[in-house]
Amino acid sequence: MKVQGTTKTVVVEPTPAALATRVADRFLTRLIARTRNGRLAHVCLTGGSMGGAVLAATAADARVADIDWSLVHFWWGDERFVERDSADRNSLQSRNALLNRIPVPAQNIHEAAAPSDGLTLDEAARAYAEELARFSTDDTAWPSFAVCFLGVGPDGHIASLFPDRPEVTVTDAAVLPVRDSPKPPAERITLTRPVLNASKRVWLVLTGADKASALGLALAGASYAGVPAAGAKGQRRTVFFVDEAAAAEVSPDLIDRDY
């Protein structure tokens, strides 16, 4: 599916492992291109099994040595408001898979606050918005991510923007607190749609037959409020990286076999 300005590309690999390797390859290629002339690259990470698998595959690629990691800044599309050593913490997963294995400066890793930092959930959301604003562009109060990774739930949620909840339609804030999340843990911090969609490239990575329906709806242009993944859109490119099980409902003519 390719329409100028709203391009949605579907890339399919047979297995989750093959998919993680494919995405890691594209990720490193993009980072090398971005940083080779000294340009900063802001990257938005996601959690979940595939988020971790992609980062682990990235760490295993020899080309990590070709990147000046001082030029790369890492953020998260959402974070669970739990302690930093909790297994539910997206940033802990990312550190274990990649960040602790590369020479990225500590100040380039932008984590949301944890409860033990002494902030309430609302204060943590505001603090993360303020951190984003430190790297604002001319047009927005946040950086433009070179790559924004998003997982997709069976219900079509992205980050912690869940279907038919008020957070999904907010456009006047960069970061929101989330309470009573339909998926535990209950308290979270999430970037909003305007921040995610200001990214140069949005890469949605999803696997499994239970994601097939959400993928089909997202590609069919379902309502963003009901299927948040349908509203994810990069400024230059939007790519759905999926395995064959998730692609069960995708028409073959929508699949890009050359990307």
Side-chain angles (χ1 to χ4, degrees), residues 40 42 73-76 110-111 124-145 172-175 191-192 195:
L40 289 179
H42 290 271
H73 288 254
F74 291 98
W75 307 78
W76 283 266
H110 305 275
E111 285 193 40
R126 286 195 294 271
Y128 207 53
E130 290 168 1
E131 181 70 2
L132 285 163
R134 290 181 55 226
F135 299 89
S136 62
T137 67
D138 292 337
D139 300 319
T140 60
W142 50 78
S144 175
F145 301 119
D172 61 353
V175 185
L191 301 186
T192 58
V195 182

Side-chain angles (χ1 to χ4, degrees), residues 3-229:
V3 179
Q4 186 65 34
T6 59
T7 300
K8 290 185 178 181
T9 298
V10 182
V11 175
V12 181
E13 287 290 340
T15 66
L19 185 65
T21 299
R22 177 76 169 274
V23 178
D25 173 74
R26 297 301 304 169
F27 180 42
L28 285 168
T29 298
R30 178 49 45 197
L31 283 184
I32 290 168
R34 177 75 186 176
T35 60
R36 71 161 53 101
N37 295 320
R39 292 185 297 167
L40 289 179
H42 290 271
V43 176
C44 187
L45 301 177
T46 186
S49 60
M50 282 307 298
V54 168
L55 295 185
T58 300
D61 192 306
R63 288 179 298 161
V64 295
D66 298 334
I67 295 171
D68 179 353
W69 292 102
S70 71
L71 297 173
V72 184
H73 288 254
F74 291 98
W75 307 78
W76 283 266
D78 71 327
E79 187 55 275
R80 289 82 178 272
F81 193 57
V82 295
E83 296 303 341
R84 295 181 191 275
D85 61 355
S86 169
D88 285 330
R89 185 93 176 170
N90 287 336
S91 55
L92 178 63
Q93 179 193 55
S94 300
R95 285 181 179 275
N96 290 339
L98 175 65
L99 304 186
N100 290 345
R101 303 165 68 181
I102 56 175
V104 59
Q107 64 267 26
N108 289 18
I109 302 175
H110 305 275
E111 285 193 40
S116 60
D117 293 325
L119 301 181
T120 66
L121 179 63
D122 294 273
E123 290 168 342
R126 286 195 294 271
Y128 207 53
E130 290 168 1
E131 181 70 2
L132 285 163
R134 290 181 55 226
F135 299 89
S136 62
T137 67
D138 292 337
D139 300 319
T140 60
W142 50 78
S144 175
F145 301 119
V147 177
C148 176
F149 289 102
L150 292 172
V152 179
D155 61 354
H157 84 266
I158 53 175
S160 284
L161 301 174
F162 293 93
D164 303 315
R165 284 180 54 103
E167 298 91 1
V168 77
T169 56
V170 170
T171 59
D172 61 353
V175 185
L176 293 175
V178 177
R179 293 180 171 82
D180 300 318
S181 164
K183 180 180 179 182
E187 293 190 332
R188 298 158 173 252
I189 293 166
T190 188
L191 301 186
T192 58
R193 184 187 181 195
V195 182
L196 300 176
N197 285 358
S199 306
K200 293 177 177 64
R201 291 166 180 81
V202 170
W203 291 358
L204 301 99
V205 185
L206 56 156
T207 62
D210 63 333
K211 308 291 181 65
S213 177
L215 176 60
L217 290 169
L219 293 173
S223 161
Y224 177 70
V227 184

